[in-house]
């Protein structure tokens, strides 16, 4: 078995299973998120008019015919804010929303929701009779105030006869206090489920991208789409159904035809990333790797605290043992930063306006391995998902996939190599644009303040 000894899973479903089991010196990272103390909130109530969000008309007959022909394409989608592919992920998600039928179901988990385009698309889907349900971080929702995209979509989903629908078909927008399924941490998942879009059924989109405009404009992100995979579809739905209760759940892991699905929180479990890196042998790669050496390609937004340091030290040890290692990152906090500087690395960030805060940056969370892995000298395997490499991630709502497919590793590794060779120049830092004066003195500023996680 190529994927082995990663985490002692509390739940594993075999491929043939018929049913699911029950149940800079940076200071800002996911590890310091503070959220309000109230628990999960369900938004439901009397019908109200649409507020603030775009007014999207009902689809015309020709558009309805287009829905019947449309298919969601499976596989990898990558975004790059520097060129024309930058809208690939947002455009793909929006197309899937726009091609949903009446009585279809959309389920979305996103740490942040901050896009008027998504407000319009999801409002229109709800008005067509689609059951639309979303969950996001309460801290991020509260920060928007009463006239932001979250509040607008929440109000819109209460309208169009929502209260008269059967309970299992009503739309809503909920938030969680810290993690939905853990203690502390954050609601940091990023996945989207569609029962049907066009002619495609049982669609799962697993991604590093939040439902935000920033994901389109300023971030490097990835998305992996699974279509028609029954185990994957049921696994993601199961986790989504657990989230509104805002109560502690166990780590979940499932197997589905060469893909391992994993869902944090996982306190006390072996580390998935270290579990993969510990299976690497640097020598003996055949028909994979680089010149007989195992290749490790990393694109990670955040290395933080002891967990980030431990992973960084392992990467350095493998580099010194002869592995071909490249690391692309946005934030490396504490000891992780000095360790990563000893590796072949690229700090993929940019401050475009000179306010001393990065506003274009890597946001993906990728580990791609090619070579001698798990006793197979020709292995190609990749980990993706929503999780930063920090202790906070382990106790947060996070999800991802370990994909045991040559084509997936090749595409991800090529993407990391491309990002490794992108060197951005920032505008000169002008502290007067960034810092406030406190008692007549300049206050400290955070170069990562404008970043999503």
């Amino acid at each position: 078995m190529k994927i082995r000894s990663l985490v002692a899973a509390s739940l594993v479903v075999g491929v043939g299973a018929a049913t699911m089991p029950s149940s800079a010196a940076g200071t800002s990272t996911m590890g310091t998120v503070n959220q309000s103390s109230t628990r999960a909130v369900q938004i439901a109530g009397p019908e109200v008019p649409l507020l603030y969000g775009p007014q999207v008309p009902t689809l015309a007959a020709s558009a309805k015919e287009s829905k019947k022909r449309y298919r969601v394409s499976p596989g990898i989608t990558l975004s790059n804010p520097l060129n024309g592919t930058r809208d690939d992920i947002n455009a793909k998600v929006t197309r899937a929303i726009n091609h949903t039928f009446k009585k279809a179901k959309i389920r979305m988990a996103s740490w942040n929701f901050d896009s008027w385009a998504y407000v319009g698309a999801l409002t229109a889907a709800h008005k067509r009779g689609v059951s639309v349900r979303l969950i996001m971080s309460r801290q991020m929702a509260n920060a928007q105030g009463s006239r932001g995209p979250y509040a607008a979509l929440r109000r819109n989903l209460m309208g169009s006869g929502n209260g008269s629908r059967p309970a299992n078909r009503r739309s809503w927008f909920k938030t969680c206090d810290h993690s939905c399924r853990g203690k502390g941490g954050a609601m940091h998942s990023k996945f989207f489920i569609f029962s049907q879009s066009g002619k495609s059924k049982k669609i799962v989109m697993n991604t590093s991208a939040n439902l935000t405009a920033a994901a389109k404009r300023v971030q490097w992100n990835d998305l992996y789409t699974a279509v028609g995979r029954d185990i994957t579809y049921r696994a993601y739905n199961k986790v989504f159904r657990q989230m509104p209760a805002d109560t502690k759940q166990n780590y979940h892991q499932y197997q589905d035809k060469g893909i391992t699905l994993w869902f944090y929180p996982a306190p006390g479990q072996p580390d998935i990333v270290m579990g993969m890196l510990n299976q690497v042998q640097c020598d003996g790669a055949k028909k994979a790797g680089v010149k007989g050496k195992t290749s490790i390609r990393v694109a990670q937004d955040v290395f933080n605290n002891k967990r980030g340091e431990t992973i960084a030290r392992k990467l350095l040890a493998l580099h010194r043992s002869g592995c071909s290692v490249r690391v692309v990152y946005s934030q490396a906090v504490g000891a992780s930063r000095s360790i990563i500087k000893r590796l072949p690395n690229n700090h993929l960030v940019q401050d475009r306006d000179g306010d001393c805060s990065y506003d274009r940056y890597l946001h993906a969370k990728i580990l791609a391995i090619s070579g001698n892995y798990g006793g197979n000298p020709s292995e190609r395997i990749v980990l993706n998902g929503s999780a930063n490499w920090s202790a906070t991630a382990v106790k947060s709502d996070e999800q991802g996939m370990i994909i045991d497919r040559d084509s997936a590793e090749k595409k991800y590794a090529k993407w990391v190599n491309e990002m490794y060779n992108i060197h951005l120049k920032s505008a000169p830092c002008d502290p007067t644009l960034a810092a406030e004066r406190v008692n007549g003195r300049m206050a400290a500023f955070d170069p990562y303040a404008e970043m999503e996680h």
Side-chain angles (χ1 to χ4, degrees):
M1 183 177 181
K2 296 179 180 179
I3 305 171
R4 64 187 187 186
S5 303
L6 300 179
V7 175
S10 59
L11 293 176
V12 178
V13 178
V15 172
T19 60
M20 281 283 187
S22 64
S23 83
T27 57
S28 80
T29 68
M30 270 301 302
T32 59
V33 170
N34 238 344
Q35 291 165 297
S36 62
S37 60
T38 50
R39 303 301 290 174
V41 175
Q42 176 165 344
I43 306 303
E47 189 166 335
V48 295
L50 299 181
L51 299 176
Y52 315 130
Q55 305 289 309
V56 181
T58 304
L59 293 180
S62 59
K64 292 179 180 178
E65 287 302 313
S66 174
K67 283 196 298 180
K68 296 179 181 179
R69 297 190 298 269
Y70 172 77
R71 292 182 184 273
V72 177
S73 58
I76 302 165
T77 307
L78 305 171
S79 66
N80 180 344
L82 299 180
N83 61 37
T85 69
R86 67 183 183 184
D87 195 26
D88 278 2
I89 290 175
N90 283 35
K92 184 168 186 172
V93 175
T94 301
R95 284 194 298 269
I97 295 169
N98 290 344
H99 287 86
T100 50
F101 296 88
K102 182 178 181 180
K103 296 186 178 181
K105 296 179 180 179
I106 298 174
R107 305 290 184 256
M108 295 179 144
S110 179
W111 178 66
N112 197 9
F113 179 88
D114 191 5
S115 164
W116 290 110
Y118 282 133
V119 171
L122 291 166
T123 297
H126 171 70
K127 292 183 69 177
R128 292 195 301 271
V130 177
S131 173
V132 178
R133 296 182 176 181
L134 299 93
I135 296 177
M136 72 175 289
S137 159
R138 184 165 303 148
Q139 182 212 19
M140 302 308 296
N142 290 345
Q144 292 182 15
S146 62
R147 299 183 68 87
Y150 159 72
L153 181 59
R154 182 188 69 181
R155 291 181 175 98
N156 293 351
L157 296 182
M158 293 166 63
S160 301
N162 190 57
S164 63
R165 294 184 184 183
N168 64 351
R169 294 205 45 77
R170 289 176 189 160
S171 298
W172 45 249
F173 203 151
K174 297 182 182 182
T175 64
C176 284
D177 172 32
H178 300 283
S179 59
C180 297
R181 301 172 58 254
K183 184 177 180 180
M187 205 313 289
H188 195 242
S189 292
K190 310 167 203 308
F191 64 86
F192 320 130
I193 310 168
F194 301 83
S195 62
Q196 183 168 358
S197 178
K199 298 190 73 173
S200 301
K201 297 181 179 180
K202 297 183 178 180
I203 304 147
V204 171
M205 296 181 176
N206 172 84
T207 182
S208 64
N210 292 297
L211 293 169
T212 64
K216 167 185 174 180
R217 296 195 312 265
V218 301
Q219 298 174 356
W220 282 263
N221 279 299
D222 79 292
L223 178 145
Y224 191 92
T225 304
V227 178
R229 282 178 167 259
D230 186 61
I231 291 173
T232 297
Y233 181 74
R234 288 187 288 134
Y236 277 80
N237 268 292
K238 178 181 176 64
V239 170
F240 186 89
R241 288 194 301 269
Q242 293 174 342
M243 297 175 83
D246 209 358
T247 57
K248 188 175 179 180
Q249 300 287 337
N250 292 326
Y251 171 79
H252 287 17
Q253 182 172 304
Y254 305 91
Q255 304 290 340
D256 188 1
K257 302 174 185 175
I259 299 179
T260 298
L261 318 172
W262 55 268
F263 299 90
Y264 285 175
Q269 299 282 357
D271 191 287
I272 291 177
V273 178
M274 288 299 296
M276 294 181 69
L277 294 176
N278 286 336
Q279 295 187 66
V280 171
Q281 295 294 321
C282 291
D283 295 324
K286 297 179 180 179
K287 299 182 180 179
V290 177
K291 297 180 179 180
K293 301 292 186 178
T294 298
S295 164
I296 303 170
R297 297 293 180 259
V298 171
Q300 173 54 257
D301 181 7
V302 177
F303 290 76
N304 192 17
N305 48 52
K306 187 65 176 180
R307 179 171 182 245
E309 178 186 345
T310 299
I311 295 171
R313 289 192 186 280
K314 181 63 177 180
L315 289 169
L316 180 60
L318 290 167
H319 169 63
R320 289 174 170 172
S321 295
C323 285
S324 172
V325 179
R326 287 181 173 180
V327 176
V328 184
Y329 72 102
S330 292
Q331 298 185 52
V333 182
S336 299
R337 185 175 40 164
S338 61
I339 297 167
I340 289 172
K341 291 299 183 182
R342 287 178 269 170
L343 287 162
N345 75 87
N346 184 25
H347 191 202
L348 188 55
V349 295
Q350 185 180 33
D351 173 12
R352 294 173 294 170
D353 56 12
D355 69 351
C356 311
S357 183
Y358 299 124
D359 49 33
R360 180 181 280 154
Y361 51 93
L362 171 72
H363 191 251
K365 301 92 168 47
I366 302 300
L367 170 63
I369 299 172
S370 170
N372 195 347
Y373 175 89
N376 180 356
S378 305
E379 177 65 293
R380 294 180 184 271
I381 194 166
V382 62
L383 175 144
N384 64 18
S386 67
N388 297 318
W389 290 352
S390 69
T392 301
V394 178
K395 57 184 179 181
S396 296
D397 294 298
E398 308 278 10
Q399 94 297 322
M401 298 175 171
I402 302 170
I403 306 166
D404 194 357
R405 288 186 172 181
D406 288 5
S407 60
E409 189 280 332
K410 288 178 181 178
K411 187 165 185 176
Y412 274 113
K414 179 181 178 182
W415 189 49
V416 176
N417 285 332
E418 290 170 355
M419 292 188 289
Y420 180 80
N421 290 305
I422 296 172
H423 303 291
L424 303 175
K425 184 177 181 180
S426 291
C429 172
D430 181 356
T432 63
L433 297 177
E436 297 180 356
R437 288 189 176 273
V438 178
N439 296 326
R441 303 179 65 181
M442 298 300 293
F445 57 87
D446 179 2
Y448 300 110
E450 295 182 41
M451 287 189 177
E452 284 189 339
H453 304 294

